[in-house]
């Protein structure tokens, strides 16, 4: 259960002098749902393509169940891919698309039939076998692409932003479906996306990447609650990032005020960054607030109001279910565990 | 408003230069100057004459030679198109230009060039003489005509295939590799099937001019390789039998239309942008 099925060691990839992936190490365990998350151009897709075998790493190795497969061509890897733009074979019907890999492996005809039917069932498209690819909607095409990969019973399934082309509602449905499918077939998924919400919903483990480097590895809860640096905090959900000073263990100063917090182990008076999630800020009457501020804008977001509160030089983004009006003075409080302290790093190279 | 009428000059042009001559050809294939009255009268003699074995043989030979030329163009042209489509984009443009470049020269001139290559004192025979081999009789036979056809029509095969190949999404090929296909299987099961619209266009664009050409056989085939195109030319310009000449033209036209119709069946992608017909 806890065997490392895929492992990347010191992976580097450059295209004509441009470093796209800068020496990363990672691993995926069996039956795990791993997401590579990051903005476009962060190297996540390149990493995925190196696992699939479409790109050769400039240096470093990729291991599959402990064996070095860096030099193995894609068609000999027990890994299948779901492509961003589906990449279905438009000259074949749906049945033949799904059967493609099985036919190459010379699987007997009656077994092909059985396995394709089972896949069509899994992706909820029973009886679609004879239809042409062009008669399908985007969501249906994506399901066929998934079925085409899964029918080969790969040990690892790679998915390159497979839901990117779908509309929001369909995307949400497919996220759940994908997660269920992964549980059902019990294989390792490596998923690439730039959508943090998608990553948080589906993953067992998330690798946050930026600028060719791994920023943080952890479970969705870890990544959301304990971002390791300002990039991760900023990328995962909205957050306020303030400069601050760690006065001593469990005490931090920012926004001109001393706060109790739950962090320790910093140097005395170390300059740090403080991350505060907008939903963690409590709006109270000015007298009860630790800091006060002027409400500058209020936007209705459905479940909550999104407000910008000015406190001296700082702008606080606040999510609150209670309405405050523009121009009103409000107080703000924070629970100690909602103050996230991060070491200052030279970021955004 | 302007848009509504902007097509009219073309319609007029095609009426005068395409539809009207076509009607004339059909008309002349059905009328003959009567030897008694000197007037025009209805006659299907042209068609009857054509049914004679002598002319049918010429017709069949033309079709076979055109088929040979088309097959050769496909065999030579497909790899060329494939290689160009897989080059770097800048190089692709350059190669496509090289391919079209000869077409900027006059068709006659291009065909004449082959005389100086294949002729009795041509480049090949002179080279053979230098290395002490006997001269070959390369000119004025079907082979020379075939070479002329393949040379002249090859770009018409390469370009449509190249266009289709260069449009194939790379990720489709990667998907096939990902599913276990080595390069040979990718070629056979994905690339070639996806390029069928281009192959069809190429075949049509080579076969049609090849079956009706008269310049190539008269220059490279001399008098010895008479094709259907020469027959038409002779009837109009030498013999002066417009009735027979028109009849051959009409038969040839119907034959080409029929073969296009058959080709179209194999064209799976009906609404392909590449489809010229």
């Amino acid at each position: 259960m806890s065997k490392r099925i895929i492992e990347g060691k010191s992976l580097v990839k450059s295209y004509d002098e441009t470093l796209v992936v800068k020496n990363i190490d990672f691993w995926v365990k069996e039956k795990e749902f791993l997401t590579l998350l990051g903005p476009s151009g962060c190297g996540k897709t390149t990493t995925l393509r190196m696992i699939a075998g479409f790109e050769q790493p400039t240096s470093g190795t990729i291991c599959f169940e402990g064996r070095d497969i860096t030099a193995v061509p894609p068609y000999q890897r027990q890994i299948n891919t779901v492509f961003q733009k589906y990449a279905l074979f438009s000259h074949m019907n749906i049945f033949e698309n799904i059967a493609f890999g099985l036919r190459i492996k010379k699987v007997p005809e009656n077994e092909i039939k059985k396995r394709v039917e089972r896949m069509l069932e899994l992706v909820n498209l029973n009886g679609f076998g004879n239809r042409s690819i062009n008669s399908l909607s985007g969501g249906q095409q994506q399901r066929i692409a998934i079925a085409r990969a899964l029918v080969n019973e790969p040990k690892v399934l790679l998915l390159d932003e497979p839901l990117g082309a779908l509309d929001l509602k369909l995307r949400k449905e497919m996220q759940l479906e994908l997660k269920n499918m992964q549980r059902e077939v019990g294989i390792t998924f490596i998923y690439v996306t730039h959508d943090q919400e998608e990553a948080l919903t589906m993953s067992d483990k998330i690798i946050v990447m930026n600028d060719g480097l791994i920023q943080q590895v952890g479970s969705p809860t870890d990544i959301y609650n304990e971002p390791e640096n300002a990039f991760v905090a900023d990328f995962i959900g909205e957050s306020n990032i303030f400069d601050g000073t760690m006065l001593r263990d469990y005490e931090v100063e920012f926004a001109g005020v001393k706060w109790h917090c739950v962090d320790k182990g910093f140097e005395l008076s170390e300059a740090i960054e403080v991350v505060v999630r907008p939903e963690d800020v409590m709006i109270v009457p000015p007298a009860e607030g630790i800091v006060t501020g002027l409400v500058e804008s209020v936007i209705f977001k459905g479940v909550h109001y999104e407000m910008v509160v000015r406190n001296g030089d700082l702008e606080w983004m606040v999510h609150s279910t209670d309405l405050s009006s523009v121009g009103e003075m409000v107080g703000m409080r924070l629970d100690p565990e909602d103050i996230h302290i991060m070491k200052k790093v030279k970021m955004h190279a | 408003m302007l848009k509504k009428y902007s097509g009219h000059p073309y319609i007029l042009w095609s009426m005068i230069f395409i539809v009207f001559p076509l009607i004339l050809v059909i008309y002349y294939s059905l009328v003959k100057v009567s030897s008694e009255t000197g007037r025009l009268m209805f006659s299907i003699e042209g068609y009857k004459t054509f049914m004679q074995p002598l002319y049918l043989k010429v017709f069949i030979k033309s079709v076979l030679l055109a088929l040979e030329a088309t097959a050769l163009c496909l065999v030579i042209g497909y790899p060329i198109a494939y290689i160009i489509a897989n080059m770097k984009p800048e190089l692709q443009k350059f190669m496509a230009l090289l391919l079209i470049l000869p077409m900027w020269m006059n068709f006659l001139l291009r065909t004449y060039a082959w005389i100086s290559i294949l002729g009795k004192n041509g480049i090949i025979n002179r080279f053979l003489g230098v290395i002490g081999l006997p001269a070959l009789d390369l000119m004025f036979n079907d082979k020379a005509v075939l070479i002329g056809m393949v040379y002249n029509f090859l770009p018409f095969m390469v370009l449509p295939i190249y266009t289709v190949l260069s449009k194939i999404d790379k990720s489709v090929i990667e998907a096939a590799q990902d599913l276990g296909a080595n390069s040979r299987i990718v070629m056979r099961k994905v690339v070639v099937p996806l390029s069928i619209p281009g192959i069809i266009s190429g075949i049509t664009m080579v076969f049609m001019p090849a079956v009706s050409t008269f310049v190539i056989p008269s220059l490279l085939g001399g008098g010895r390789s008479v094709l259907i195109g020469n027959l038409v030319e002779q009837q109009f310009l030498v013999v002066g039998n417009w009735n027979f000449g028109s009849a051959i033209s009409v038969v040839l036209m119907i034959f080409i239309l029929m073969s296009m119709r058959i080709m179209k069946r194999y064209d799976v992608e009906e609404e392909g942008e590449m489809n010229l017909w």
Side-chain angles (χ1 to χ4, degrees), chain A residues 93-339:
Chain A
N93 67 16
I94 288 169
F95 185 95
E96 286 306 318
N97 262 277
I98 299 176
F100 190 88
L102 300 178
R103 290 218 191 281
I104 288 170
K105 289 188 203 99
K106 304 243 167 13
V107 174
E109 192 61 34
N110 55 348
E111 202 193 324
I112 291 182
K113 209 165 175 247
K114 241 187 279 164
R115 280 166 75 173
V116 172
E117 299 292 340
R118 202 166 59 220
M119 274 304 133
L120 282 171
E121 214 166 289
L122 180 75
V123 296
N124 281 323
L125 288 171
N126 320 38
F128 275 60
N130 287 323
R131 291 237 215 145
S132 91
I133 292 300
N134 301 323
S135 70
L136 297 182
S137 69
Q140 289 170 328
Q141 289 196 23
Q142 190 53 274
R143 285 170 211 221
I144 298 302
I146 293 165
R148 185 181 65 174
L150 281 179
V151 77
N152 302 290
E153 292 166 6
K155 295 210 170 150
V156 178
L157 185 71
L158 308 179
L159 303 105
D160 183 7
E161 307 217 14
L163 309 183
L166 307 180
D167 60 57
L168 187 68
K169 189 163 169 282
L170 201 55
R171 205 154 67 218
K172 300 256 182 210
E173 280 173 30
M174 286 295 289
Q175 284 172 12
L176 295 178
E177 256 180 71
L178 268 176
K179 185 73 197 168
N180 287 337
M181 263 183 233
Q182 190 244 347
R183 282 200 201 102
E184 212 169 304
V185 293
I187 60 173
T188 310
F189 275 37
I190 302 181
Y191 193 97
V192 160
T193 184
H194 63 267
D195 181 338
Q196 40 110 357
E197 203 190 313
E198 208 165 274
L200 295 173
T201 312
M202 293 193 285
S203 321
D204 298 318
K205 186 164 99 181
I206 298 175
I207 294 180
V208 184
M209 289 182 74
N210 186 38
D211 204 22
L213 289 169
I214 291 178
Q215 304 294 330
Q216 187 171 359
V217 182
S219 70
T221 2
D222 288 347
I223 301 251
Y224 191 83
N225 289 336
E226 301 297 332
E228 266 172 29
N229 58 42
F231 172 79
V232 178
D234 201 27
F235 193 74
I236 309 288
E238 283 172 293
S239 39
N240 300 292
I241 300 173
F242 304 125
D243 288 326
T245 313
M246 204 65 189
L247 297 174
R248 55 174 171 269
D249 286 353
Y250 311 115
E251 194 173 36
V252 61
E253 184 187 336
F254 69 95
V257 186
K258 288 174 190 166
W259 304 74
H260 284 291
C261 64
V262 293
D263 298 79
K264 61 180 169 95
F266 293 85
E267 283 167 40
L268 281 183
S269 302
E270 185 180 340
I272 45 85
E273 280 177 323
V274 179
V275 172
V276 177
R277 298 278 178 201
E279 66 270 25
D280 290 338
V281 181
M282 291 173 287
I283 297 288
V284 291
E288 293 167 32
I290 296 172
V291 288
T292 54
L294 194 68
V295 178
E296 282 196 333
S297 72
V298 179
I299 300 165
F300 180 58
K301 287 279 190 180
V303 179
H304 61 262
Y305 295 94
E306 183 181 294
M307 297 186 277
V308 176
V309 181
R310 176 162 290 282
N311 155 244
D313 291 341
L314 303 177
E315 282 182 340
W316 293 59
M317 163 91 75
V318 181
H319 290 173
S320 168
T321 46
D322 297 320
L323 175 62
S324 306
S325 45
V326 177
E328 194 182 334
M329 280 296 284
V330 292
M332 291 181 287
R333 299 186 68 92
L334 284 168
D335 283 337
E337 62 268 24
D338 291 333
I339 298 172

Side-chain angles (χ1 to χ4, degrees), chain B residues 119-120 124-138:
Chain B
K120 254 208 175 72
I124 293 179
N125 275 330
R126 251 187 277 166
F127 176 73
L128 287 176
V130 168
I131 60 171
L133 290 170
L136 294 172
D137 205 5
L138 298 165

Side-chain angles (χ1 to χ4, degrees), chain B residues 94-107:
Chain B
F94 178 69
M95 292 303 288
L97 183 75
L98 278 188
L99 207 65
I100 306 169
L101 207 60
M103 294 212 276
W104 294 356
M105 269 179 283
N106 184 284
F107 182 82

